């Protein structure tokens, strides 16, 4: 599990116009690339859906596409369509939703991760694990889906695991450049930008803008025992950084070997 309520850190929702008229100029994945980066269960259908959605939402940058994929893998492995995966679903059937969710929250917190005050029906959904009733309803409204049931997380995860991720990457205004797609287009793909992107997705450390800005621009930093240290400042690393960072390392290595 990697998703927490902090996905709601994003602010206003707005459409992005890529300004592109020549679709041949847009970056598109191959199935070999998806598998090489770690989405080993990806199918031709997954590939078509992802590439079509990148065109729809205006992802034209190779750097942004690869970093989005790394973040999807970090959040869900591109396997867990809903937070907690099959293990939590099995516990819900065995114990009931409320009790299973209570146990799950205790276990997540016990592993040193932060989990927000949200309920099981609004838990992380889709491959970017978008979390919280407001954010999930914004997504459904954006795509004009009239679903009005209680369990938005399961509905989105089962029906829009890829689109909800691409939507979050391109439509949620949270960075100095607007959305994450624009941010990575501006600063390009690097370890530092991946780190900052994970904060935006997984819980932004309020009050540390200056430090993260300096890291973005090349300031040295270290991460030790779940804490980030840089130039006299320190605060929590993104949730599950020890598992999250290797996802980026694999994607970055694949990208570099292609060049």
């Amino acid at each position: 599990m990697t998703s927490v309520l902090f996905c709601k850190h994003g602010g206003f929702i707005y459409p992005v116009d890529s300004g592109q008229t020549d679709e041949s100029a847009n970056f598109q994945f191959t199935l070999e690339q998806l598998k090489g980066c770690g989405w080993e269960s990806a199918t031709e259908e997954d590939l078509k859906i992802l590439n079509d959605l990148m065109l729809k939402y205006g992802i034209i940058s190779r750097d942004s596409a690869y970093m989005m994929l790394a973040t999807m893998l970090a959040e869900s492995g591109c396997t867990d369509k809903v937070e907690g995966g099959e293990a939590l679903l099995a516990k819900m059937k065995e114990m009931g939703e409320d009790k299973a969710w209570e146990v799950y929250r205790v276990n997540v917190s016990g592993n040193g991760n932060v989990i927000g005050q949200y309920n099981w029906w609004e838990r992380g959904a889709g491959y970017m694990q978008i979390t919280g009733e407001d954010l999930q309803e914004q997504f459904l409204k954006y795509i004009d889906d009239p679903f009005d049931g209680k369990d938005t997380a399961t509905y989105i995860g089962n029906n829009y695991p890829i689109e909800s991720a691409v939507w979050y990457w391109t439509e949620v205004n949270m960075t100095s450049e607007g959305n994450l797609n624009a941010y990575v287009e501006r600063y390009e793909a690097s370890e530092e930008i991946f780190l900052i992107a994970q904060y935006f997705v997984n819980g932004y450390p309020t009050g540390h803008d200056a430090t993260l800005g300096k890291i973005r621009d090349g300031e040295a930093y270290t991460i030790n025992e779940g804490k980030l240290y840089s130039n006299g400042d320190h605060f929590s690393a993104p949730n599950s950084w020890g598992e999250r960072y290797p996802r980026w390392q694999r994607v970055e290595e694949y990208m570099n070997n292609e060049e």
Side-chain angles (χ1 to χ4, degrees):
M1 175 271 179
T2 57
S3 178
V4 295
L5 182 61
F6 298 117
C7 281
K8 295 174 72 175
H9 175 80
F12 300 103
I13 307 302
Y14 62 94
V16 172
D17 180 359
S18 70
Q20 295 293 312
T21 57
D22 180 8
E23 290 187 356
S24 67
N26 297 354
F27 176 82
Q28 295 274 268
F29 283 110
T30 66
L31 189 59
E32 180 183 2
Q33 289 167 334
L34 295 184
K35 290 178 177 291
C37 287
W39 189 353
E40 294 166 0
S41 64
T43 64
E44 290 286 355
E45 181 180 5
D46 293 326
L47 175 68
K48 184 179 188 311
I49 291 171
L50 178 60
N51 281 335
D52 287 350
L53 288 170
M54 290 199 306
L55 290 174
K56 174 182 175 180
Y57 285 91
I59 298 177
I60 62 173
S61 158
R62 177 178 180 270
D63 279 16
S64 180
Y66 270 108
M67 191 162 287
M68 179 183 69
L69 176 61
T71 303
M72 290 164 61
L73 289 164
E75 284 290 306
S76 66
C78 291
T79 55
D80 290 342
K81 294 181 178 181
V82 184
E83 181 180 340
E86 293 297 326
L88 178 57
L89 289 175
K91 286 294 184 183
M92 285 179 166
K93 291 178 181 178
E94 175 187 340
M95 305 168 64
E97 288 94 345
D98 292 338
K99 181 61 177 177
W101 182 244
E102 179 183 343
V103 171
Y104 173 80
R105 288 177 55 83
V106 170
N107 290 339
V108 169
S109 299
N111 289 332
N113 292 314
V114 177
I115 184 167
Q117 296 299 317
Y118 55 93
N119 292 300
W120 59 266
W121 58 85
E122 56 180 341
R123 66 197 186 279
Y127 291 155
M128 196 75 77
Q129 299 281 279
I130 64 170
T131 306
E133 187 173 38
D134 289 347
L135 193 64
Q136 292 171 356
E137 288 180 353
Q138 287 172 8
F139 167 68
L140 291 171
K141 182 178 180 180
Y142 185 89
I143 63 172
D144 199 25
D145 186 307
F147 177 77
D148 60 358
K150 179 179 181 179
D151 190 356
T152 52
T154 298
Y155 181 79
I156 290 171
N158 286 340
N159 292 282
Y160 307 106
I162 301 175
E163 183 160 10
S164 59
V166 179
W167 170 86
Y168 186 80
W169 193 255
T170 60
E171 303 302 320
V172 179
N173 186 352
M174 68 184 89
T175 80
S176 59
E177 300 297 320
N179 55 59
L180 280 162
N181 179 50
Y183 191 81
V184 179
E185 282 189 338
R186 168 68 174 82
Y187 293 106
E188 301 182 342
S190 68
E191 175 183 321
E192 292 77 16
I193 299 304
F194 179 74
L195 170 72
I196 294 168
Q198 301 319 287
Y199 277 123
F200 282 123
V201 169
N202 205 247
Y204 192 83
T206 303
H208 299 281
D209 288 355
T211 296
L212 289 176
K214 290 177 181 177
I215 289 173
R216 179 195 65 206
D217 296 333
E219 185 79 54
Y221 69 94
T222 59
I223 294 179
N224 185 32
E225 295 184 350
K227 295 287 186 181
L228 181 148
Y229 300 85
S230 180
N231 197 28
D233 194 11
H234 68 276
F235 44 93
S236 294
N239 271 351
S240 303
W241 179 251
E243 301 168 11
R244 190 174 289 268
Y245 178 53
R247 294 288 194 177
W248 167 245
Q249 287 182 304
R250 179 168 177 175
V251 171
E252 183 181 39
E253 181 180 4
Y254 193 93
M255 285 177 63
N256 291 337
N257 287 340
E258 280 196 320
E259 293 176 352

